[in-house]
Structure formats: C-alpha cells, structure tokens
Amino acid sequence: MAVTLADVAARAGVSSATVSRVLNGNYPVAGSTRERVQRAVAELDYVVNGQARALAAATSDLVGVLVNDVADPFFGILASALQGEIGAGAAEPGGGKLAVVCNTGGSPEAELTYLTLLERQRAAGVVLTGGAVESERHTAAVSSRLARLAASGTRIVLCGRPPLAPPDETLPVMTVTFDNRGGARRLTEHLLSLGHRRIGYVAGPVDRTTTRHRLEGHRAALAAHGIGPDTDAGAISLRLTVHGGYDRESGYDAALELLRRDPELTAVVAANDTVALGVCAALRDRGLSIPGDVSVAGFDDLPFSGDASPALTTVRIPLAEAGARAGRLVMGRQAPPPGGVATVATELMVRGSTAPPASSGS
Amino acid sequence: MAVTLADVAARAGVSSATVSRVLNGNYPVAGSTRERVQRAVAELDYVVNGQARALAAATSDLVGVLVNDVADPFFGILASALQGEIGAGAAEPGGGKLAVVCNTGGSPEAELTYLTLLERQRAAGVVLTGGAVESERHTAAVSSRLARLAASGTRIVLCGRPPLAPPDETLPVMTVTFDNRGGARRLTEHLLSLGHRRIGYVAGPVDRTTTRHRLEGHRAALAAHGIGPDTDAGAISLRLTVHGGYDRESGYDAALELLRRDPELTAVVAANDTVALGVCAALRDRGLSIPGDVSVAGFDDLPFSGDASPALTTVRIPLAEAGARAGRLVMGRQAPPPGGVATVATELMVRGSTAPPASSGS
DNA sequence: CTGTTAGCGCGTTCAT
DNA sequence: ATGAACGCGCTAACAG
C-alpha cells in the first residue's frame, strides 16, 4: 500500500530512526546520510503518516475552530484570519497546523459534540468564536469540556465572547473579546444626539452574550439621556425591542413588527449589519425612505455595509485583526495578554443611513 | 495522563478488546457486559484517541476542503454547505467527519502544500473548490497528487472547477462544475438585447478556469450578435477587457481604466459580484448613475447583491446546493453522477442595475 | 553520529 | 461471548 518509514530506511540503507531524524531535523545527522535519505524519500514519494507521528509523539497537527456558520461573513472573516495564522508556514516542518472549522449553527449541543470530536483528535488548540449561549447548564458543560482539553495540553482561546466566569478562571483559557457594550452605547448616543427619541431595537437571539451586551449598551445610552426604563419614553423604548435571529429575514420581520408597535419611530438599531439590511428592505417596502423617514444602524461593519445605499452607519469590529490575534494565541506565537483577556475596541462608523429625524428638521 | 482503553477495561473488569467492541458496536457483546463497560466509560469520562484508532483501523475522520479564502462569501457559502454534509450526524458513531478548511489564497503552491498535509493525515476525502489555475505544470502536479490520494482510498471531489483533462480521467475523481460559460453568455445577451454595444468587461485573474469560461461566454454572445473579434465593434470589445483580482478594489480600479479607454461605454460586466460593487463605486465617484449612464452586471448572486442599490443584475449559482452535493459525494452518501461529472445550471437574475443605454432611449 | 528497542492507544485476528 | 497477542507507523530513549 502506502510507503512507510521502513521502506525509505531500507532504500537508503539506514535504520528507520535515522530517517525519522532526517525528516524532523531535530537530531544531528551526517550530511551524506541525510542526502541519501532525502533521495530515497523523493524517489519513493514518501509522505509521513500524520496519525502515527501524532500517536508516537503525542502531538497533533489539528486546531479546532468553532463558528456558528462560515457562510456568515462575520464568522467567515474570523475563520479566514484564524486559518491564516494557524496554517502559516505549513511548508516548513512544524510550521503550520490544520484548521478544523466546525459549524455549530449556534447550537449548544453541536458545540459540545465538536468539542468532544476535537478532544478525540487530541487537538493542539481550540478556538471558540462568536457569542456564547448563556445558560447555566451549557456554560458548565462547556467549562468542564474545556478544562479537560486544557488539562491534556490543548490551548484554548475564546474569540468574540466574554471570558469564562471567575470561578473557572483557573483554566488556562485566553480570551479576545469585543467591546460590544461600548460600541452599542456609542451608536445609540449617536442617534440620540441626532435628536432621535423613538428608537426601535432589533436584538439578536435571546440568551446570547453578544445580544445581551449590545442591548445593555443601547439601554445604557438611553438611561444616560434620561430615558431610563422608569420614564415614559423609556417604557416606549422597552416596548420597541424585538428579538430575532442574526439573519436578514429576522431583520425584515422585526422591522415590520416595530412599525406595527410604533408607526412613529424614527430610528432602528439592528443586532448586526445583516439584520440591518433586512430592516432597510422592510422599510423601503413600506415606502419609507432611509434616513429621511427612518434612520437605520447596524453592527460589525461587514464589507458590504459600506456599499449598501445609503451606506450603513454601524460599529466596526476589527474582525480580521482579532481573528489573527486569536490565531497567534492558540498557536503559542504570542504571549497571552495580561489576565488572559484582551478587549478589542469597537469604533462607531457614521455613514449615510442615519440622520436627524424629520420632525426635528422642520 | 489521559484515560485509555485499558483504564476503562480495568475499571469494568474486562479486556480492552471487549471495550473496543462495545465502543464500535460491530461485534456481539453480552448485554450485561456492555452495560458495565458503558458505565465505566461514563465514570471515567473516556474519550477515544482518534489518532490511535485511525492508525489501527487505517481510517480517518478528516475531510479536507480547499478554498481560496473563506472570508469571500462565494467560498464561505460553499464551505458552509460542504461542512454541513461532512459533519452531519457527528453525534452518532461513524456519523460525521471533521472538515479541514484550507485557505489557499489562490496560490498553486499552497494548494499543493495542503494536499500533502491532507495526505499526511490520510484524509478520508478532499474537495477542491473554485476555479483552477491553468498551467501545465500545476495541473500535472495536482493530478499526480490526486492520483496518489485516490490510490490510498481518499475520495476526491472537484467543486466549481472543470473536470480533470481526459487523459487523467481514469482517476476516480468526481466533479460538480458550474455552467459559467452559459451564464456569462446569457448575461451578455441580456445586455445586447437591451441595446448595449460598448460593453466593458472586468475579468478575473488570468489563467483561471473560471475567468476563462466566463470570458468565453461573454465573447460568444458578442460573436453571436455579429460583434466578433474581426469586426470593428468587436475590436473595441476586445480592448474593453481588463483583468484583475476577484476583489472590490480590482473592480474599482478596472472601472476607472475602462472609462479611460472608452468614456462612451454604456455597460460593464464584472467577473463577480464583489468586483461589480467596486465597479459601481468607481462609476458613482465619477458622477455616473447606474443604470442611467452605465449598466453594471455581476456574477454569482451572493447574498448582498440583492441589497445593493440598485440591486445587481447577475448570474445566480446555487452555491449552497452545489456545496451540499459535493459534500454528499465526498462522504459517499450519494452515487456519483454519470461520467463522474455533474454540471450545475446557472440562472440570469435581471435586477435594477441594468437598463437600456441612454442613447437608445432618447 | 547511528542502530536497537520499546512503546504510543487502539483494532483485530486467533483462540477459547 | 470474551481474552491474549500482534501490529498499525512512527518517535524517543538508550546504547554504542
């Protein structure tokens, strides 16, 4: 069948150990011997058996990357940046590893299943991306899985979700988290400063850290402007929150629902840019102009956001940089940040989709 | 360190062979024994060692997916659909495999490197997605690598590129290819029927099958309308072809170049939707309206294309379906198409970005 | 510098 | 139905 180390050794007239040494270049080997071995390797088209090597050396060439869905640009960009770091130097010996991308679809069960599969493979590292599901049970389950992985030497990095709770902080888990709360707050402040008071909010799925943090930022901004939950205007704002998925359809449906709840609203903040596009489509279908009648804002600043028209006001997350950083961390190519947690700043991007409300202008 | 089969065996008071049989469920085992073993497995939190299993059983849980870049929605959607099939049933024993996504960045060397890495891992299957680089040397190199992989039992699927040349057709390689030529032809016919005659073409990178096929379709449509390369109008069209990357910047730059070459052009066809957005941006920056002054068309029908404004006329490729099909093929869950080649039809999507040229209307 | 030996953890014969 | 023994292909001690 396949040619093995022994075949190469026989061909080169040396022991298999010597061949191994030449291949890994960790031990001194005489130049002439090395050359003979390399010739034999080339002649036989020998390719090492990764699993045998992994078994013997107790190492792995695999790094798991858990994402909700690579088809979603948010995760696609993260995955791409991660893969870039993980696979970097794949040509050199020991240079790069293989990124195993796992689509969880946002399902907690799938997340656990994949963690088990990666544990099976004795993955060298695991990166969990995107918001985490907030449930006692699931958090505990993930934590214990991660603890076992970490105990067996697997490097763990969280990217785009908050660090694990303090009690579990003993885990050697590194985190690259996004300032979702701050970004959301600045975004809503922007709308408030434009004069908007009836602001709809299309939130993401419930029980997700990302959803909660963005919503908290939004409400914090409202409260700071005297629109706390205990005021009349605040009560309206509370009523103007609709939860949905992180997809375009959800945005479309949510926008219609918001208009039903308050035909007078002047602005809509969406959970992310994709949802915002759905919101825009719904508003247009209702004959409303953006931002003339209603301002719309998104989150993430995905590539298409600048090309939408009007261009979307949104909050930029440097996804590629964050992913690359997480990649370096999981590869051990960069020292962990102090406390194990790095917070990536977010930036308000004001574009054409937001403007003062019509009433305030006339 | 990690708990092994032997540990479980000891705990259950049976031999390791019995534990193995319980785990794989391929052999008859007494109910009571089975139960004791399963209890021991649960109590010890045992997780099989994938590499050891792979080594012993000569099987692999890995399937490689080569893409140019997962951050590109075209590949992101393909990868997502592929992963969905590959990982399907990951919970059941033998149910799913792990998709190893490899970003080649369109580099032939990276492609070969990853194929070697996947061969190392004795991957159960490999899917090559997207257009192939057209070069004698590279094609030969890839073919021989694929031949070796196939010989060692790895299932090979091509998705989004043409089948390998007839001489290599003996390889058990399955192909899911896109009708790029037909789609491009219908797209240009659409523009011609609107009355356009000076049509710029922003082609993809040279020496790529996708680039060539789309360009051929474009030229075929022109020729069919009497605008062959030997006519005056045809000569103009030839001059109005610019090559660039598959990214937005390339589209932007190419559009400016096209306007320089012919300020009178009335339509621009782009290599894909992303490029088309760049073209649109450049035209707008030049003060030209779409489609009033210049019509623009793309290719692929990525999700954002319908939300651009004007919405992009483009050619739809059912990427998710194609990816899922390729995934089933590589998993051996679907019978290979006759001749090993399935051609996926493309569909012209006429939207707002194309209209009759201004001159013909007045 | 190189060969010999002993596992890595599991699947799988062959016995029983 | 179960156990003992061997080997998958390679790396890592240990000699020499």
Side-chain angles (χ1 to χ4, degrees):
Chain A
M1 270 265 309
V3 28
T4 75
L5 245 204
D7 299 334
V8 178
R11 179 98 149 132
V14 298
S15 77
S16 62
T18 300
V19 178
S20 172
R21 297 199 256 258
V22 170
L23 257 43
N24 295 308
N26 302 333
Y27 270 67
V29 174
S32 64
T33 316
R34 164 188 311 279
E35 198 161 326
R36 252 184 319 145
V37 170
Q38 285 171 334
R39 187 142 18 91
V41 166
E43 287 170 353
L44 294 173
D45 267 335
Y46 171 72
V47 175
V48 291
N49 183 322
Q51 4 231 214
R53 161 181 289 183
L55 182 57
T59 63
S60 170
D61 282 351
L62 267 36
V63 173
V65 175
L66 270 63
V67 299
N68 273 15
D69 186 4
V70 274
D72 180 335
F74 177 91
F75 292 101
I77 292 169
L78 276 181
S80 178
L82 277 160
Q83 211 275 350
E85 282 295 332
I86 292 168
E92 297 89 61
K97 300 201 177 291
L98 289 171
V100 177
V101 173
C102 309
N103 277 12
T104 65
S107 146
E109 298 79 39
E111 192 165 280
L112 292 174
T113 299
Y114 277 122
L115 285 179
T116 300
L117 257 46
L118 291 168
E119 189 177 348
R120 266 215 218 326
Q121 301 298 325
R122 304 298 188 259
V126 171
V127 182
L128 304 183
T129 71
V133 171
E134 297 201 293
S135 122
E136 279 294 336
R137 262 193 43 248
H138 183 244
T139 303
V142 168
S143 293
S144 84
R145 278 278 195 319
L146 292 184
R148 295 227 322 264
L149 279 166
S152 68
T154 298
R155 258 195 221 95
I156 317 243
V157 177
L158 270 33
C159 181
R161 60 174 65 179
L164 293 175
D168 304 300
E169 211 180 288
T170 56
L171 285 184
V173 172
M174 296 169 280
T175 305
V176 177
T177 189
F178 305 153
D179 181 22
N180 283 309
R181 207 170 334 218
R185 177 168 178 154
R186 285 189 296 280
L187 179 57
T188 296
E189 278 168 357
H190 159 68
L191 290 171
L192 288 168
S193 73
L194 285 175
H196 293 278
R197 289 300 177 271
R198 307 183 85 118
I199 306 175
Y201 191 89
V202 182
V206 291
D207 294 334
R208 289 293 216 302
T209 55
T210 305
T211 298
R212 182 165 62 77
H213 290 162
R214 292 183 184 175
L215 190 47
E216 284 172 2
H218 173 64
R219 298 227 162 116
L222 291 178
H225 273 248
I227 315 184
D230 46 347
T231 68
D232 279 3
I236 293 179
S237 279
L238 279 182
R239 227 169 27 82
L240 290 187
T241 298
V242 177
H243 282 271
Y246 277 128
D247 57 299
R248 188 180 182 282
E249 294 314 305
S250 296
Y252 192 96
D253 297 343
L256 296 184
E257 171 63 21
L258 284 175
L259 285 176
R260 206 172 302 129
R261 294 195 191 171
D262 184 0
E264 307 290 308
L265 61 77
T266 63
V268 176
V269 177
N272 70 16
D273 290 348
T274 306
V275 172
L277 285 192
V279 170
C280 289
L283 294 175
R284 266 194 289 265
D285 285 358
R286 272 283 185 275
L288 297 169
S289 86
I290 305 164
D293 296 315
V294 179
S295 286
V296 176
F299 213 109
D300 293 346
D301 194 26
L302 298 182
F304 58 74
S305 306
D307 280 308
S309 81
L312 216 52
T313 288
T314 185
V315 176
R316 176 170 154 67
I317 302 178
L319 291 173
E321 292 86 337
R325 184 161 183 184
R328 287 191 298 272
L329 286 174
V330 81
M331 292 296 284
R333 281 205 272 264
Q334 181 174 321
V341 179
T343 300
V344 169
T346 54
E347 182 188 0
L348 175 64
M349 307 294 288
V350 176
R351 302 212 182 93
S353 68
T354 52
S359 56
S360 85
S362 55
Chain B
M1 271 268 310
V3 29
T4 76
L5 246 202
D7 299 332
V8 177
R11 179 99 150 131
V14 297
S15 77
S16 61
T18 301
V19 179
S20 171
R21 297 199 256 257
V22 170
L23 257 44
N24 296 307
N26 302 333
Y27 271 67
V29 174
S32 64
T33 317
R34 163 187 313 278
E35 197 161 327
R36 251 184 320 144
V37 170
Q38 286 171 333
R39 185 142 22 90
V41 166
E43 288 169 352
L44 294 174
D45 267 335
Y46 171 71
V47 175
V48 291
N49 183 323
Q51 4 229 212
R53 160 181 289 182
L55 182 57
T59 63
S60 170
D61 282 351
L62 267 35
V63 173
V65 174
L66 269 62
V67 299
N68 274 15
D69 186 4
V70 273
D72 181 337
F74 178 91
F75 292 102
I77 293 168
L78 276 180
S80 178
L82 277 159
Q83 212 275 350
E85 283 295 334
I86 293 168
E92 298 88 62
K97 298 200 179 292
L98 288 171
V100 177
V101 173
C102 310
N103 276 11
T104 65
S107 145
E109 298 79 39
E111 192 166 281
L112 293 174
T113 299
Y114 277 121
L115 285 178
T116 300
L117 256 44
L118 290 168
E119 189 177 348
R120 266 213 216 329
Q121 300 298 326
R122 305 297 188 259
V126 172
V127 183
L128 304 184
T129 70
V133 171
E134 297 200 294
S135 123
E136 280 293 337
R137 262 194 40 249
H138 183 244
T139 303
V142 168
S143 294
S144 83
R145 277 280 195 317
L146 293 184
R148 294 226 323 264
L149 278 165
S152 68
T154 299
R155 260 196 219 94
I156 317 247
V157 177
L158 271 33
C159 180
R161 60 174 66 180
L164 293 175
D168 305 300
E169 209 181 289
T170 56
L171 285 184
V173 172
M174 297 169 280
T175 305
V176 176
T177 189
F178 305 151
D179 182 22
N180 283 308
R181 207 171 335 220
R185 177 169 179 153
R186 285 188 298 280
L187 179 58
T188 296
E189 278 168 355
H190 159 67
L191 290 171
L192 288 168
S193 73
L194 285 175
H196 293 278
R197 288 300 175 272
R198 308 182 85 117
I199 306 175
Y201 191 89
V202 182
V206 291
D207 294 334
R208 288 294 217 300
T209 55
T210 305
T211 299
R212 181 164 62 78
H213 291 161
R214 291 183 184 176
L215 189 47
E216 284 172 2
H218 173 65
R219 299 228 161 114
L222 292 178
H225 273 248
I227 315 184
D230 47 347
T231 67
D232 279 1
I236 292 178
S237 279
L238 278 183
R239 227 168 28 82
L240 290 186
T241 298
V242 176
H243 282 272
Y246 276 128
D247 56 299
R248 188 179 181 283
E249 294 313 305
S250 297
Y252 192 96
D253 297 343
L256 296 184
E257 171 63 21
L258 285 175
L259 285 176
R260 206 172 301 130
R261 292 194 193 174
D262 184 0
E264 308 290 306
L265 62 74
T266 64
V268 176
V269 177
N272 70 16
D273 290 348
T274 305
V275 172
L277 286 192
V279 169
C280 289
L283 293 175
R284 266 194 288 265
D285 284 359
R286 273 280 186 276
L288 297 168
S289 86
I290 305 165
D293 297 314
V294 180
S295 286
V296 176
F299 213 108
D300 294 345
D301 194 26
L302 298 183
F304 59 74
S305 306
D307 280 308
S309 82
L312 216 53
T313 289
T314 185
V315 176
R316 176 170 152 69
I317 303 179
L319 291 173
E321 292 86 336
R325 184 162 182 183
R328 287 191 299 271
L329 287 173
V330 82
M331 292 296 284
R333 282 205 272 264
Q334 181 174 321
V341 180
T343 299
V344 169
T346 54
E347 182 188 0
L348 176 63
M349 308 294 288
V350 176
R351 302 212 183 93
S353 68
T354 52
S359 57
S360 87
S362 58

